[in-house]
Amino acid sequence: MVKVAIYPPNSLILADLIERKGHTPLVLQKQIRQKIKDPEIDSPPMNITEEDPIKGLKYAAIEVPSGVRGRMSIIGPLIDEAEAAILVDGAPFGFGCVGCARTNELAIFLLRQRNIPILEITYPKNRDGTFLMVNQINEFLDSLKEE
């Protein structure tokens, strides 16, 4: 079983494909769930703790907007934990979206810097492309079992 980071990190479709192949998807939903169950958070999921932007400094400089640092405090540990990654470029908002272009660029950059297997694919524009994308993901996930 391999821990697979996905981008967009909140894609339920990718998470489901990864779980069906016996791997662990590293997804934003699980991180957010932990945060909203935390008694320190007054009004989840809108609030963050004071420590969150500080944790984000590990991944982004102080000059980076606090929103990026806050997002990276959640996404960064997923990147650190990843043993493989699937990156989908050009996905619509309904497929999964962080909503911050700078966070997306930084997270993808950090994933590419890791010495892990990465599948980079483009979001399909038609039915045949969808079948191809799912097949590519399945082949990639199957190859991870052999390593």
Side-chain angles (χ1 to χ4, degrees), residues 1-6 14-15 17-27 30 78 81-86 114-118 140-147:
M1 180 190 304
V2 176
K3 295 178 183 176
V4 182
I6 59 177
L14 289 177
L17 284 171
I18 292 166
E19 284 180 343
R20 287 175 188 243
K21 285 294 186 173
H23 299 294
T24 303
L26 299 173
V27 292
K30 291 179 183 177
L78 297 175
E81 201 176 338
E83 298 169 332
I86 299 173
R114 304 277 321 273
N115 190 19
I116 59 175
I118 297 178
F140 175 73
L141 295 171
D142 287 343
S143 76
L144 298 176
K145 291 180 184 177
E146 298 168 3
E147 294 178 3

Side-chain angles (χ1 to χ4, degrees), residues 5-119:
I6 59 177
Y7 226 84
N10 58 344
S11 172
L12 295 173
I13 295 167
L14 289 177
D16 183 60
L17 284 171
I18 292 166
E19 284 180 343
R20 287 175 188 243
K21 285 294 186 173
H23 299 294
T24 303
L26 299 173
V27 292
L28 207 52
Q29 295 90 319
K30 291 179 183 177
Q31 299 296 96
I32 297 295
R33 182 173 188 259
Q34 290 174 349
K35 293 204 111 359
I36 62 174
K37 292 179 83 177
D38 188 339
E40 291 182 30
I41 306 288
D42 295 330
S43 160
M46 301 306 284
N47 290 342
I48 60 173
T49 64
E50 293 175 4
E51 291 81 27
D52 286 337
I54 295 169
K55 289 178 190 173
L57 285 172
K58 177 180 177 184
Y59 307 98
I62 191 72
E63 294 85 11
V64 172
S66 61
V68 173
R69 285 195 319 271
R71 288 179 183 93
M72 287 308 298
S73 73
I74 296 172
I75 298 169
L78 297 175
I79 293 170
D80 291 343
E81 201 176 338
E83 298 169 332
I86 299 173
L87 310 176
V88 180
D89 186 41
F93 287 117
F95 187 76
C97 173
V98 172
C100 176
R102 297 301 165 243
T103 301
N104 292 341
E105 290 172 3
L106 178 58
I108 290 170
F109 172 79
L110 293 173
L111 280 166
R112 286 179 178 150
Q113 295 302 305
R114 304 277 321 273
N115 190 19
I116 59 175
I118 297 178
L119 173 65

